[in-house]
């Protein structure tokens, strides 16, 4: 295998995972990104291991399982990854999803005393929770230790990366669409509020009703309350009316949150397309590997799709 210089565009969880996998395989890697750290869409994610808003295919199943194994291996306070009980509740029974049979970690039906008032159906599972406020800095540190340079730089067009022998890996989430001329990529907006944690240790997901899906995710230092999935909407401003509605619904599901102080807020746009784009093409005189369109499952698919992208690059 020939080691090649690689430029990764994007410093969210997909871009950093791709960079680290490639660097650990011996490639010389740099990352270019307009946004990094807490300004990326990844930073706004509640980041449970889950696969919403993404294609239902065998390759996604494989990526998710590979990532699940890696997250469990890397779990610890330094990474921000830990196993956490998650309950998913609804007024009515969930519609069956044959694709998930035998796929998700073992589920059990929630007992009546585990359901919030007004909810009659629910399931409980133990899944990895990824606190992105710790996980993204850890990924950047791992990249630096592997010799990856991360440059804060706008990339208005792929042609602006200058001619050279390096391979481009486009992993800029929603920003990949304009760079690749991909009209199939669309935003699905989500909004979160960060609250002081009154002592919650369990995640709650409300799958139906207004602002669904609503999620309440306790992390190390706060609780992320978020939703909904606003398809085709791009607006980076946090809407206070939406926030108030989210907090009211969250307090119904977790009464301990009533009156909890808001300590932060964020908006993220999930990069959704009919299929994750994992493909290679020749553009502007160089090889380009596309790795974007992971929907709401970027964290859950990160390691699996990064390895697939690296495999594809090494076959060029």
């Amino acid at each position: 295998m020939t080691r090649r210089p690689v430029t990764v565009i994007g410093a969210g969880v997909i871009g950093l995972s791709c960079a680290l996998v490639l660097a650990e395989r011996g490639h010389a890697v740099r990352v270019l990104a307009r946004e990094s750290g807490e300004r990326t869409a990844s930073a706004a994610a509640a980041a449970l291991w889950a696969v919403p808003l993404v294609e239902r295919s065998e390759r996604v199943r494989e990526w998710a399982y590979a990532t699940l194994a890696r997250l469990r291996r890397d779990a610890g306070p330094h990474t921000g990854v830990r196993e956490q009980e998650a309950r998913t509740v609804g007024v009515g029974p969930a519609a069956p999803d044959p694709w998930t049979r035998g796929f998700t970690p073992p589920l059990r039906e929630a007992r009546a005393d585990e359901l919030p008032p007004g909810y009659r159906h629910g399931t409980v599972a133990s899944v990895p929770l990824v606190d992105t406020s710790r996980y993204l800095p850890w990924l950047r540190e791992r990249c630096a230790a592997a010799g990856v340079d991360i440059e804060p730089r706008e990339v208005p067009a792929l042609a602006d990366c200058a001619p050279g022998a390096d391979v481009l890996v486009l992993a800029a989430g929603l920003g990949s669409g304009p760079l690749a001329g991909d009209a199939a990529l669309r935003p699905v907006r989500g909004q979160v509020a960060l609250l002081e944690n009154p002592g919650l240790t369990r995640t709650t997901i409300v799958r139906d009703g207004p602002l669904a899906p609503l999620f309440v995710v306790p992390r190390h230092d706060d609780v992320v309350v978020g939703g909904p999935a606003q398809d085709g909407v791009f607006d980076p401003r946090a809407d206070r009316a939406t926030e108030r509605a989210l907090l009211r619904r969250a307090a119904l599901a977790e009464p301990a949150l009533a009156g909890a102080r808001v300590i932060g807020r964020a908006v993220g746009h999930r990069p959704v397309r009919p299929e994750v784009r994992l493909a290679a093409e020749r553009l502007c005189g160089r090889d380009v590997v596309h790795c974007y369109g992971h929907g709401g499952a970027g964290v859950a698919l990160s390691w699996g799709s990064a390895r697939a992208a690296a495999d594809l690059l090494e076959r060029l």
Side-chain angles (χ1 to χ4, degrees):
M1 181 190 68
T2 302
R3 276 18 182 224
R4 303 180 66 178
V6 181
T7 295
V8 176
I9 302 173
V13 69
I14 298 297
L16 293 176
S17 298
C18 286
L20 185 55
V21 167
L22 287 163
E24 289 178 341
R25 292 188 184 188
H27 299 279
V29 182
R30 67 169 179 162
V31 174
L32 304 181
R34 180 185 62 188
E35 308 287 2
S36 62
E38 64 181 18
R39 296 180 63 83
T40 63
S42 297
L48 285 170
W49 183 84
V51 287
L53 300 172
V54 71
E55 68 182 81
R56 293 312 203 222
S57 67
E58 187 58 33
R59 67 174 187 164
V60 164
R61 188 191 306 268
E62 292 173 359
W63 297 343
Y65 265 131
T67 305
L68 176 64
R70 176 64 185 261
L71 290 175
R72 284 179 165 158
R73 190 188 85 188
D74 290 337
H78 59 299
T79 64
V81 181
R82 71 177 187 274
E83 204 79 4
Q84 183 164 290
E85 186 178 86
R87 63 174 181 173
T88 301
V89 303
V91 174
D97 184 356
W99 185 79
T100 64
R101 289 178 183 169
F103 171 51
T104 54
L107 297 172
R108 64 172 176 82
E109 293 295 319
R111 303 185 305 269
D113 63 352
E114 293 176 306
L115 296 173
Y119 294 92
R120 297 184 298 166
H121 300 271
T123 57
V124 178
S126 179
V127 295
L129 166 70
V130 181
D131 183 339
T132 53
S133 69
R134 297 189 181 193
Y135 188 69
L136 289 174
W138 174 75
L139 269 182
R140 290 194 297 273
E141 290 170 4
R142 288 289 307 276
C143 284
V148 177
D149 291 324
I150 301 177
E151 302 177 28
R153 176 178 155 189
E154 178 86 31
V155 181
L158 294 182
D160 292 340
C161 289
D166 57 322
V167 182
L168 299 183
V169 175
L170 182 55
L174 194 63
S176 301
L179 290 171
D182 188 350
L185 190 67
R186 69 183 194 276
V188 176
R189 182 182 182 276
Q191 179 172 324
V192 303
L194 309 180
L195 309 182
E196 289 183 332
N197 191 345
L200 299 183
T201 58
R202 172 186 59 191
T203 286
T204 297
I205 301 167
V206 181
R207 55 177 164 74
D208 51 18
L211 302 176
L214 172 81
F215 48 85
V216 178
V217 183
R219 304 193 300 184
H220 288 88
D221 303 315
D222 54 25
V223 178
V224 181
V225 173
Q230 298 174 316
D231 201 343
V233 176
F234 184 87
D235 185 352
R237 299 167 299 178
D239 179 75
R240 295 304 177 91
T242 299
E243 180 179 293
R244 289 192 293 271
L246 285 170
L247 296 182
R248 283 196 298 270
R249 288 211 74 206
L252 293 175
E254 284 286 6
L257 287 178
R261 186 168 68 94
V262 176
I263 57 176
R265 48 185 57 89
V267 171
H269 297 89
R270 306 163 181 98
V272 175
R273 70 191 307 275
E275 295 180 341
V276 178
R277 191 175 186 192
L278 186 65
E281 63 178 330
R282 190 77 177 170
L283 288 174
C284 305
R286 69 171 74 197
D287 291 321
V288 178
V289 173
H290 300 284
C291 186
Y292 64 84
H294 296 74
V299 169
L301 303 179
S302 55
W303 290 115
S305 61
R307 291 172 187 166
D311 291 343
L312 178 57
L313 183 150
E314 290 172 349
R315 291 195 297 268
L316 296 176

